Each structure stands twice: as C-alpha cells, then as structure tokens.
C-alpha cells in the first residue's frame, strides 16, 4: 500500500502546537518527534480514500520530544509542547509552507488573542485556588435570586414592548410608527431606569463584569430616551422612535433570559447561540437608528435653544446644544467599532471553548 500525504491543519499558543490530521478511523498510528522533526504514519480514510498516510514536519524552533495525540472518528489531534513559551512566526523551519499544511481556523488565534486566552486561564486557575481557600459566600443564593428576579422583570418588560409593537405593526401598518412613543414610552422609561442596576451590580460586586462598558451602554440609551425623545415633543411622533425601540427590545428579549438561566446554572444551546449572534446585525442597526434620531433632533435644538448654554451678553450668542450632539455622534460610531470588535472576540472565545470541549 502506497503512503500518501494527508491534509494537516495547525494552530499555536505560546506554549503548544496543535495539529489536526484529516484521517478518519485512524489505525496503526506511529507519531513521534526526533531531532525536532515530527514524524507521522498511520492508516485510515483520508483525502485519497482508505490508504496509508505519512508526513514529516521540521519545526521552526525547539519542541519537547513528548507528543500527545487523540484519534477520533473524523481526525487525529496532535499536541506538541514548545521548549520555550514564545510566539512563532511560522510552523516549519523551511520558509515555504508545505502544500499539505494549512491554518486551523477553528483554533486559530493571533498573538494578542492568545495572550488574552492565557490570562483568562491563569485567572481561572487563580480563582479556583482562591475559592478553595475562601469559605463559600453565605449570601450567594440571595444574590442569585436577586439577579434572577431583576433579569426576569427586564425580560417581561421588553417582551411586552416587543409584542405590543409587533401586534400594532401588523394591525396598523406604518401608522404605528407615529405614535410609538406615546404607547410604549412609560414601559421603556421603567426598563431603562431599572437598567441603572446594570451599572451598580458590577460596582458592588454582584456580577463580575466591567462597570465602564455597562455605564456606556445604559447612559447612551438613556441619553437617547430622556434627552432626544423625552425632552422634544417634535421628536416623539417621528418613525425613528419605532425603529430605536424595536431594535432595543429585540436584542433584550434574548439577552435577559440568557442571564436568567445563568443564575440557575442552566444553558439552552439555541438561546446561547442567539444571545451571542443576533447582536451582530442588530447592534450596528441600533446605533444607526440612534444616530438618525440625534441628527433629526439637531435642528430642533437649534430652533428652540433648549439646553443651550448662554454666553455673556457682550458676545450676544449662546452655545447651542447641537455642538454637543455632533460630538456625541463621533463618539457613538467610535464606540460602535470598539464594542463590536470586543463583542465579536467574546463570541469567538465562547464558541471556540464549547467546540474544544465537544472534541
């Protein structure tokens, strides 16, 4: 039987090399490292059908001779430890990449992401070590109960908003755009005022999330709700109110039940996928709708002089609030870029961890 070369995919961390060999139902495996060269030989079903496959890779830098491998029905996973915890520019000593070798994008990280993952692992180990020494929080059940009820109330509030707006849209069509504020505002005021708890909860240690991201999101929404919509009657009948409220509620009817289940250590796979996926189109659309609302409010603030800052009489003018709104627009889109990148990395890490556990 002629030995052929299988498809091999690789990824790295600072301390390890991961190889995925595309051979299913592999048998008679012979895998080892000699003189910094990995040798692989085995039988199984690969790209050329049932056959014997082999390959060799001379690593860019020194690795430890011990090799771990695990064969599954679909592939052979190989782990090789580096001699030094450093990031490699490439896998092989030869500059030209072998034709059978390609990046494993399921496990691929750039250097900064790998450092973040390493820090998370260290923090998790330290957390377990500390928790083993620190006595259990006697109020943990009470805290979880409070968080569960908070998320339940918010879920019910945003569900009412979403269902009410959807029903009115089907019954009234576009006419429902123009009285959204007068129909929905009271419940939205309640939900957004209650959302201030999402800033206080991490501040007092009830949840282990950052205070700043929560503050930016909650205060940004409240600025749109109370200042742009609440203080300007001319804005309250505009269709943009419908789109802002509808996008907010669509995101939250998936986010809050996810947090509710987390309080009771339960996970629904579909809900998890929706919570970490649906924001990708909705978050930019929500920011765009908020930006439209700000732009539409600028001439109204200029005309009414509302919230403008009066300057000395000798100057004879006032500092229009529209200047602050224009600055707010710039910061809004800057925040969109930063938060989208952060949320996307968070999503990638979560699903990569779940896939690794599944394998």
């Amino acid at each position: 039987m002629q030995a052929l070369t299988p498809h091999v995919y690789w990824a790295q961390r600072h301390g390890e090399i991961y190889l995925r060999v595309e051979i299913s139902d592999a048998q008679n495996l012979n895998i080892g490292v000699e003189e910094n060269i990995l040798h692989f030989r085995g039988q199984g079903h690969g790209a050329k059908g049932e056959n014997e496959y082999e390959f060799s890779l001379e690593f860019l830098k020194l690795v430890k001779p011990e090799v771990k491998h695990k064969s599954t029905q679909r592939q052979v996973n190989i782990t090789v430890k580096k001699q030094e915890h450093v990031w490699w520019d490439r896998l092989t000593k030869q500059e030209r990449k072998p034709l059978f070798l390609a990046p494993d994008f399921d496990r691929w990280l750039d250097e900064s992401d790998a450092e973040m993952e390493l820090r998370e692992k260290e923090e998790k180990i330290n957390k377990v070590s500390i928790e083993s020494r620190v006595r259990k929080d006697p109020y943990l059940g009470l805290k979880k109960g409070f968080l569960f009820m908070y998320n339940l109330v918010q879920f019910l509030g945003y569900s009412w908003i979403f269902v009410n707006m959807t029903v009115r849209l089907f019954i009234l069509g576009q006419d429902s755009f123009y009285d959204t504020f007068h129909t929905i505002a009271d419940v939205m005021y309640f939900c957004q005022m209650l959302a201030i708890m999402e800033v206080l909860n991490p501040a007092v240690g009830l949840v282990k999330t950052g205070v700043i991201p929560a503050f930016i999101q909650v205060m940004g929404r409240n600025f749109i709700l109370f200042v742009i919509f609440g203080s300007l009657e001319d804005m309250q009948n505009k269709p943009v109110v419908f789109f802002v409220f509808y996008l907010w509620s669509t995101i939250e009817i998936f986010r809050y039940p996810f947090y509710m289940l987390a309080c009771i250590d339960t996970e629904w796979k579909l809900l998890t996928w929706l919570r970490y996926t649906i924001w990708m189109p909705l978050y930019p659309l929500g920011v765009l709708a908020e930006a439209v609302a700000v732009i539409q409010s600028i001439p109204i603030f200029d005309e009414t002089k509302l919230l403008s800052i009066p300057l000395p009489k000798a100057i004879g003018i006032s500092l229009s609030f529209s200047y602050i709104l224009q600055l707010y627009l710039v910061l809004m889109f800057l925040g969109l870029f930063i938060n989208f990148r952060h949320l996307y990395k968070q999503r990638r890490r979560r699903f990569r961890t779940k896939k690794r556990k599944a394998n």
Side-chain angles (χ1 to χ4, degrees):
M1 184 180 290
Q2 182 183 5
L4 301 172
T5 305
H7 293 307
V8 181
Y9 301 89
W10 79 284
Q12 67 168 316
R13 299 295 185 269
H14 285 83
E16 295 175 324
I17 297 292
Y18 303 119
L19 299 172
R20 174 164 56 88
V21 185
E22 290 291 296
I23 297 178
S24 59
D25 299 320
Q27 298 177 352
N28 303 324
L29 292 175
N30 186 2
I31 306 171
V33 173
E34 294 181 6
E35 298 181 355
N36 215 48
I37 300 176
L38 174 72
H39 300 283
F40 175 96
R41 192 177 186 90
Q43 294 178 344
H45 190 88
K48 301 293 185 179
E50 192 71 29
N51 217 314
E52 185 171 308
Y53 293 87
E54 67 177 0
F55 69 88
S56 296
L57 289 172
E58 184 174 5
F59 293 114
L60 175 66
K61 297 182 181 181
L62 293 177
V63 299
K64 296 181 180 179
E66 299 83 10
V67 177
K68 293 182 180 179
H69 66 87
K70 181 180 179 181
S71 177
T72 69
Q73 291 182 342
R74 296 182 300 167
Q75 63 203 30
V76 178
N77 297 315
I78 303 172
T79 303
V80 182
K81 291 187 177 296
K82 300 176 181 178
Q83 286 280 15
E84 298 180 357
H85 282 63
V86 293
W87 196 257
W88 293 2
D89 295 330
R90 60 179 187 273
L91 178 64
T92 58
K93 189 172 183 179
Q94 65 183 68
E95 292 189 9
R96 186 175 181 181
K97 179 178 69 66
L99 294 177
F100 63 86
L101 186 65
D104 185 353
F105 290 109
D106 289 338
R107 304 190 73 168
W108 192 266
L109 291 179
D110 57 31
E111 186 173 2
S112 60
D113 285 344
E115 290 175 350
M116 186 179 300
E117 183 185 68
L118 184 61
R119 285 197 297 270
E120 288 176 352
K121 287 182 178 178
E122 291 174 349
E123 289 172 0
K124 188 175 181 180
I125 292 172
N126 293 335
K127 180 182 175 182
V128 172
S129 176
I130 292 171
E131 287 178 349
S132 64
R133 296 195 302 267
V134 178
R135 66 177 184 176
K136 200 170 181 180
D137 184 358
Y139 303 106
L140 182 61
L142 186 62
K143 292 176 181 178
K144 285 189 173 184
F146 168 76
L147 292 173
F148 181 89
M149 291 305 300
Y150 166 77
N151 289 296
L152 175 61
V153 170
Q154 289 286 58
F155 170 63
L156 293 175
Y158 278 106
S159 295
W160 184 90
I161 293 171
F162 179 81
V163 172
N164 188 297
M165 294 180 68
T166 303
V167 171
R168 288 173 55 81
L169 179 62
F170 276 105
I171 295 175
L172 302 177
Q174 294 185 6
D175 290 341
S176 66
F177 293 174
Y178 302 98
D179 63 349
T180 296
F181 185 85
H182 302 288
T183 308
I184 304 297
D186 288 341
V187 179
M188 186 63 79
Y189 278 140
F190 172 79
C191 290
Q192 280 305 125
M193 290 177 66
L194 189 61
I196 295 175
M197 293 301 302
E198 295 183 28
V199 180
L200 298 178
N201 287 340
V204 300
L206 279 179
V207 295
K208 299 185 182 300
T209 56
V211 177
I212 300 301
F215 177 83
I216 292 173
Q217 178 174 333
V218 172
M219 293 303 109
R221 282 191 179 182
N222 283 345
F223 179 83
I224 298 295
L225 178 61
F226 289 94
V227 178
I228 302 299
F229 295 152
S231 65
L232 297 176
E233 290 188 11
D234 291 344
M235 286 297 299
Q236 295 171 6
N237 296 322
K238 291 185 179 292
V240 69
V241 178
F242 174 90
F243 294 102
V244 170
F245 284 7
Y246 204 71
L247 289 166
W248 286 358
S249 61
T250 305
I251 293 173
E252 303 301 16
I253 61 174
F254 297 108
R255 188 168 73 97
Y256 284 116
F258 172 81
Y259 290 142
M260 282 169 52
L261 294 179
C263 291
I264 56 175
D265 301 320
T266 303
E267 180 181 3
W268 291 351
K269 291 183 179 179
L270 177 59
L271 182 60
T272 300
W273 183 86
L274 287 170
R275 184 263 179 273
Y276 282 99
T277 304
I278 202 167
W279 64 266
M280 296 178 72
L282 295 184
Y283 179 56
L285 287 174
V287 173
L288 182 61
E290 292 173 21
V292 170
V294 172
I295 292 170
Q296 291 182 349
S297 72
I298 288 176
I300 302 175
F301 277 109
D302 283 337
E303 180 181 351
T304 61
K305 304 297 183 182
L306 184 65
L307 301 180
S308 295
I309 302 174
L311 297 178
K313 291 183 179 180
I315 300 177
I317 60 173
S318 60
L319 183 61
S320 175
F321 187 66
S322 63
Y323 296 131
I324 297 176
L325 295 179
Q326 292 170 33
L327 176 61
Y328 181 77
L329 280 173
V330 176
L331 297 176
M332 181 186 294
F333 285 101
L334 179 62
L336 169 63
F337 172 77
I338 295 172
N339 285 339
F340 193 93
R341 186 170 180 269
H342 169 73
L343 290 169
Y344 182 73
K345 283 187 175 182
Q346 188 181 56
R347 180 184 186 276
R348 261 196 347 178
R349 285 197 300 270
R350 181 170 185 90
F351 286 110
R352 186 170 51 243
T353 302
K354 290 173 69 69
K355 188 167 186 178
R356 191 179 302 132
K357 289 179 179 178
N359 289 335

